[in-house]
Amino acid sequence: MTATISPKRTHESPSIRTNVRGYAERVRGGDMGALPAVFGIVVLCTIFAILRPAFLTNGNFANLFTQGAAVTVIAMGLVFVLLLGEIDLSAGFASGVCAAVLAIMLSNQGLPWYVAVGAAILTGVVIGTTLGSIVAKLGIPSFVVTLAAFLAFQGLVLLLVQGGTIIAIRDETILAIANKNLPPVLGWILLAVGVAAYAGLQLLRARKRAARSLTFDPISLIAIRVAALALLGGLAVYFLNLERSRNAAVVSLAGVPIVVPIIVVLLVVLTFVLRRTAFGRHLYAVGGNAEAARRAGINVDRMKISAFVICSSMAAVGGIMAASRASSVDPNTGGSNVLLYAVGAAVIGGTSLFGGKGRVLDAVLGGAVVAIIENGMGLMGYSAGIKFMVTGSVLLLAAMVDALSRKRAAATGLR
Amino acid sequence: MTPVLELRGIDKSFGPVQVLHDVDFSVHLGEVTALVGDNGAGKSTLVKCVGGIYPIDSGDYLFDGKAVQVHSPRDAGALGIEIVYQDLALCDNLDIVQNMFLGREQKRGLVLDEDTMEEMAARTLESLSVRTVKSIRQLVASLSGGQRQTVAIAKAVLWNGKVVILDEPTAALGVAQTAQVLELVRRLADQGLAVVLISHNMNDVFAVSDRIATLYLGRMAAQVKTSDVTHAQVVELITSGRSGDLGLTNGVTV
C-alpha cells in the first residue's frame, strides 16, 4: 500500500521503446489484436505465390478486392452486433433481399440508381429495426431471431425474384461499383489526401495533448505510422494502376477498383463512430457489462436496436456490391456461404464472439484473409468442397485464438 | 448543524411484508455514518429508498433541511446522492477514464473530448490521493479489487456529489486493500462529503465512522456517536435491538 506509483502525468511523452514494450506486453498478455489476421495474410500470400505464380499477377490482385468487398462490408456491420455479444445470422440473406429490392427498382421499375440504392438501404434499416426490436424488447436470443430471419429472408428473396428468375442489372452506375476503376491519377490523389489527413490529425492530436501536458505519442512513432500507411497504400495503388488488360489497345484495365475507396470511407466513418463518439463508447460498455451500462443511464435496448440497424444497413451495401459484381440478382445472392464468410471475417480479424471487443478494421483484415483463401484455392483448382473445409478450419482456428487469448487475458488481468 | 440528508418516520412495505417501520436516519456533511444491522434488517432497502430505486410509502425525505421528492435514481443523482453498489458496475473492457465518465461523457460537438475527461479523472484521483493506479488509461480488467473499488468511488465523487453511500465496500477485499479503501472513505469525509458506510465488519466501522446507525428487524434501534459506544454494545444492538439504555423496548423505539 505504501510502495505505490503515482498516476502517470509525466510531461515528457513515452518513447518509442516504451510503446513497443507496451505492445509486446499486451500481445503476450493475450491481447493479440490484428496480429493473427496479418500473420494469416502473409502466410497465405506466401504459400499461394509459391504454388501458383498466377496469384501474384496484377489482375488477380485487383480481383481480390472486388471478390472480398461484399463479405467485408457485411462483416463491418456484423462487428457492431458482435460487440454487444449478439449475432446476426440473417445478414447474408438480408443483403440478398436488399439486392433484390435494388434490382427490381432498377430493372423492373426502371427507376434511377440513387432511388434504387436508397430503397435497398432503407430495406436494410427496416430489417435491422425489426430484428433489433424483437431481440431487445421481447428478449428472444438473437441467435434464434436471426436464424428464423435467415430462413424467412431466403424465402423472401425467392418471392422477390419470382421463383428463381435472374434479374439482370444494366445500370451503368451500379455496375461501375465492382467492375470499373478509378483513373490512375485519381488513385494517387486520393492516397495523398488520405495520408496527409492522417498525418495531420495525428500531429494535431499530439500537439493538443502536449499543450495540456497529457501523455502523447512521440513524433517518431507518428512518422513511422504515417510512413507505413503511405508505403502500403503506395504499393497497392502502384500495382492496381498497372495495366492488367490482356489487350490494352482494345480495352484498358488499370486503376484502383471503385469498391476500394468505398470500403476505405466506410472503414473511416464507422471507426470514427466506434472510437470517437459517445454512441460507440456506449456500444462497448453494453458489450462489456450491460448492467453497468444500464445503471449509467444508457438505454441498452436502443443500443441493441441501433447495432442491428447498422448491421442490416451494411448488409444492404454489401448486397449492392454483390449485385454489381454479378451484374444480376438471383435467389442465391447473399446466400450459401456469404454470411459464414462474413462472421468468419470479423472473428478472424480479432472481433470477439463474446462481446465488448472488436474494431471495424478487424472486418477488413479478416475479409482479406477470407478473400485470399477463396481466390487462392480457386487458382489451385480445388473443388468448392475443399474450399469450404479450409475456410471452416480457418474460422475455427480464429475462434480458438479468440478463446485462448481470452483465457490468457483473464490470467494476466488484461483483456 | 442540520443534517444534509434526513429521513423521518419512513415506512416501506413490499405487499403484505413491512420491511421498514418508522425509520429515522440522518447523515451529516464531513462525517462517516456507518449503517449496520443483521441480514434482513433493512439496510439495503433503506439505501434503495434513499437512492430513489424504491418509492417510500410514508415519511419525510429531507435534503439540506428541505423536504424533497425522490422518485428515481436520477432525482437522487440530481440532489448529489451517489450510491456505489457492491458489484461496482464497472465495464472490464473499458479503461479507468472511460468507466468514470460512462453515460456522462464530455463532448465537443459530436466528438468525445478525451483530453478534458482524462484531465478531470486525473484531478479527481489526485484529490483523493489515489496513488495505486499506474495509468488512468489502464483497462479496469487489469485492476485489483481495491483499485476497482477506488475507481467506483472516484466515479461517484467526480460529479461533486454531497452524499456518497458505499455498500459493503470492503467485503471482498484483503487486509491491505481494505485499509486502502477505508483510508479513502475517511478522506472523503474529511473533504466535507457525507459518507454512509454499510458494513458487517465492526473493525471497519470503528476504524472510520463518526456515527453508527443500527437497524434491527426494520426499525432503527439506535443512532449514536461512535465514541459513545463500545464494540460489544453495537453487537448487542445488532443482534437483539437493545443494549442497556440504548435501543428498542419490546421492539418499539423509545
Side-chain angles (χ1 to χ4, degrees):
Chain A
M1 177 181 149
T2 40
T4 49
I5 315 151
S6 60
K8 210 176 247 170
R9 282 197 80 194
T10 39
H11 286 244
E12 76 272 28
S13 56
S15 67
I16 291 194
R17 237 169 82 218
T18 18
N19 269 301
V20 170
R21 207 181 308 134
Y23 181 71
E25 258 170 35
R26 280 211 305 281
V27 169
R28 243 179 292 136
D31 181 9
M32 311 277 266
L35 218 54
V38 173
F39 181 72
I41 292 174
V42 172
V43 169
L44 286 167
C45 284
T46 319
I47 293 175
F48 288 133
I50 293 169
L51 294 177
R52 276 283 175 281
F55 179 79
L56 275 191
T57 54
N58 303 324
N60 196 48
F61 185 49
N63 264 345
L64 275 178
F65 288 98
T66 46
Q67 255 176 4
V71 164
T72 302
V73 170
I74 296 173
M76 284 170 150
L78 271 169
V79 167
F80 285 78
V81 173
L82 292 174
L83 266 182
L84 299 184
E86 308 279 348
I87 188 134
D88 185 357
L89 297 175
S90 71
F93 274 115
S95 81
V97 170
C98 299
V101 169
L102 174 92
I104 291 168
M105 291 281 184
L106 283 178
S107 302
N108 299 5
Q109 309 288 328
L111 292 164
W113 68 271
Y114 44 87
V115 177
V117 167
I121 291 175
L122 185 67
T123 310
V125 172
V126 171
I127 290 173
T129 316
T130 316
L131 294 178
S133 307
I134 295 173
V135 170
K137 300 291 182 197
L138 297 184
I140 308 174
S142 56
F143 183 86
V144 179
V145 173
T146 58
L147 185 63
F150 168 82
L151 292 170
F153 291 159
Q154 192 167 3
L156 187 55
V157 181
L158 266 176
L159 292 179
L160 284 173
V161 300
Q162 278 147 13
T165 52
I166 294 173
I167 308 179
I169 292 175
R170 286 179 212 87
D171 185 274
E172 290 294 327
T173 318
I174 296 297
L175 288 181
I177 295 173
N179 299 304
K180 287 277 171 14
N181 305 304
L182 296 176
V185 183
L186 189 56
W188 285 117
I189 293 174
L190 286 182
L191 176 70
V193 171
V195 171
Y198 178 71
L201 282 175
Q202 290 267 312
L203 284 173
L204 198 69
R205 197 173 108 89
R207 240 175 73 192
K208 259 191 182 154
R209 288 181 63 88
R212 301 174 80 156
S213 56
L214 296 162
T215 55
F216 60 95
D217 296 333
I219 299 292
S220 43
L221 184 69
I222 294 175
I224 291 174
R225 283 197 198 127
V226 172
L229 179 71
L231 184 70
L232 283 177
L235 283 175
V237 172
Y238 172 75
F239 282 112
L240 290 172
N241 276 351
L242 293 178
E243 183 60 53
R244 42 182 192 269
S245 168
R246 292 234 169 88
N247 193 344
V250 180
V251 57
S252 172
L253 253 184
V256 179
I258 290 176
V259 285
V260 176
I262 296 180
I263 288 181
V264 171
V265 168
L266 288 173
L267 171 67
V268 171
V269 170
L270 293 180
T271 302
F272 173 82
V273 168
L274 274 189
R275 291 279 161 190
R276 295 272 171 263
T277 66
F279 174 78
R281 178 69 39 85
H282 295 172
L283 269 179
Y284 282 100
V286 173
N289 186 345
E291 176 59 19
R294 193 187 61 76
R295 282 201 216 146
I298 296 167
N299 188 335
V300 174
D301 285 357
R302 212 174 60 203
M303 298 309 292
K304 278 192 185 164
I305 297 172
S306 1
F308 276 95
V309 168
I310 292 173
C311 182
S312 298
S313 316
M314 290 302 285
V317 177
I320 296 168
M321 288 179 174
S324 165
R325 179 151 190 274
S327 312
S328 66
V329 172
D330 61 57
N332 215 17
T333 303
S336 68
N337 49 16
V338 169
L339 168 85
L340 296 179
Y341 275 178
V343 175
V347 174
I348 290 167
T351 296
S352 174
L353 287 168
F354 304 96
K357 182 183 152 227
R359 297 172 307 170
V360 185
L361 182 64
D362 294 344
V364 176
L365 292 173
V369 172
V370 170
I372 289 170
I373 294 176
E374 211 194 355
N375 176 291
M377 302 287 282
L379 287 178
M380 304 272 292
Y382 286 123
S383 64
I386 305 266
K387 266 202 254 178
F388 283 148
M389 289 186 60
V390 170
T391 317
S393 314
V394 172
L395 174 55
L396 190 60
L397 198 69
M400 273 188 224
V401 169
D402 177 29
L404 288 177
S405 67
R406 238 163 204 277
K407 263 194 172 165
R408 180 140 198 177
T412 52
L414 281 166
R415 174 123 91 154
Chain B
M1 194 174 98
T2 43
V4 61
L5 172 71
E6 189 173 10
L7 303 180
R8 284 189 203 145
I10 300 293
D11 286 323
K12 174 69 194 169
S13 305
F14 293 108
V17 185
Q18 190 165 0
V19 183
L20 297 179
H21 303 262
D22 194 26
V23 168
D24 294 345
F25 181 52
S26 54
V27 178
H28 298 261
L29 288 175
E31 288 188 356
V32 177
T33 307
L35 182 58
V36 298
D38 216 341
N39 289 338
K43 302 186 299 281
S44 299
T45 309
L46 181 61
V47 164
K48 284 179 175 161
C49 287
V50 171
I53 292 174
Y54 297 151
I56 51 179
D57 294 343
S58 63
D60 298 322
Y61 190 132
L62 286 88
F63 195 84
D64 269 342
K66 287 186 283 284
V68 289
Q69 301 286 324
V70 174
H71 297 296
S72 73
R74 200 155 297 188
D75 293 344
L79 289 173
I81 299 171
E82 299 277 349
I83 303 180
V84 179
Y85 291 100
Q86 217 171 340
D87 64 358
L88 302 185
L90 298 173
C91 291
D92 274 357
N93 60 335
L94 299 181
D95 66 31
I96 295 176
V97 181
Q98 291 171 341
N99 264 294
M100 283 174 69
F101 282 87
L102 189 60
R104 299 190 267 202
E105 286 85 359
Q106 300 292 297
K107 282 177 278 188
R108 231 174 329 160
L110 255 181
V111 190
L112 292 174
D113 191 351
E114 297 285 355
D115 298 351
T116 304
M117 287 196 273
E118 204 170 315
E119 274 182 351
M120 283 172 72
R123 219 179 300 136
T124 304
L125 287 170
E126 243 166 59
S127 76
L128 297 174
S129 309
V130 173
R131 290 193 205 82
T132 50
V133 291
K134 241 191 300 175
S135 154
I136 54 174
R137 283 298 181 186
Q138 249 178 308
L139 292 189
V140 164
S142 68
L143 300 180
S144 70
Q147 290 173 325
R148 283 158 180 263
Q149 190 74 49
T150 306
V151 172
I153 294 172
K155 181 181 176 180
V157 300
L158 180 65
W159 298 96
N160 302 320
K162 280 185 174 164
V163 181
V164 179
I165 302 175
L166 305 169
D167 190 359
E168 303 252 11
T170 60
L173 301 183
V175 177
Q177 294 184 343
T178 299
Q180 245 174 57
V181 169
L182 289 181
E183 202 176 288
L184 178 57
V185 167
R186 191 62 249 172
R187 215 172 295 132
L188 290 177
D190 292 344
Q191 285 183 6
L193 271 75
V195 183
V196 178
L197 174 74
I198 300 180
S199 183
H200 271 122
N201 187 323
M202 283 309 120
N203 291 328
D204 293 2
V205 168
F206 276 90
V208 291
S209 71
D210 301 294
R211 278 168 209 268
I212 301 177
T214 316
L215 279 171
Y216 177 74
L217 298 179
R219 293 172 203 277
M220 187 56 77
Q223 192 160 0
V224 290
K225 286 210 157 147
T226 309
S227 49
D228 296 346
V229 286
T230 65
H231 213 112
Q233 277 178 305
V234 176
V235 173
E236 243 182 300
L237 281 169
I238 292 172
T239 50
S240 64
R242 58 171 296 107
S243 166
D245 302 337
L246 285 170
L248 311 165
T249 25
N250 304 324
V252 184
T253 317
V254 187

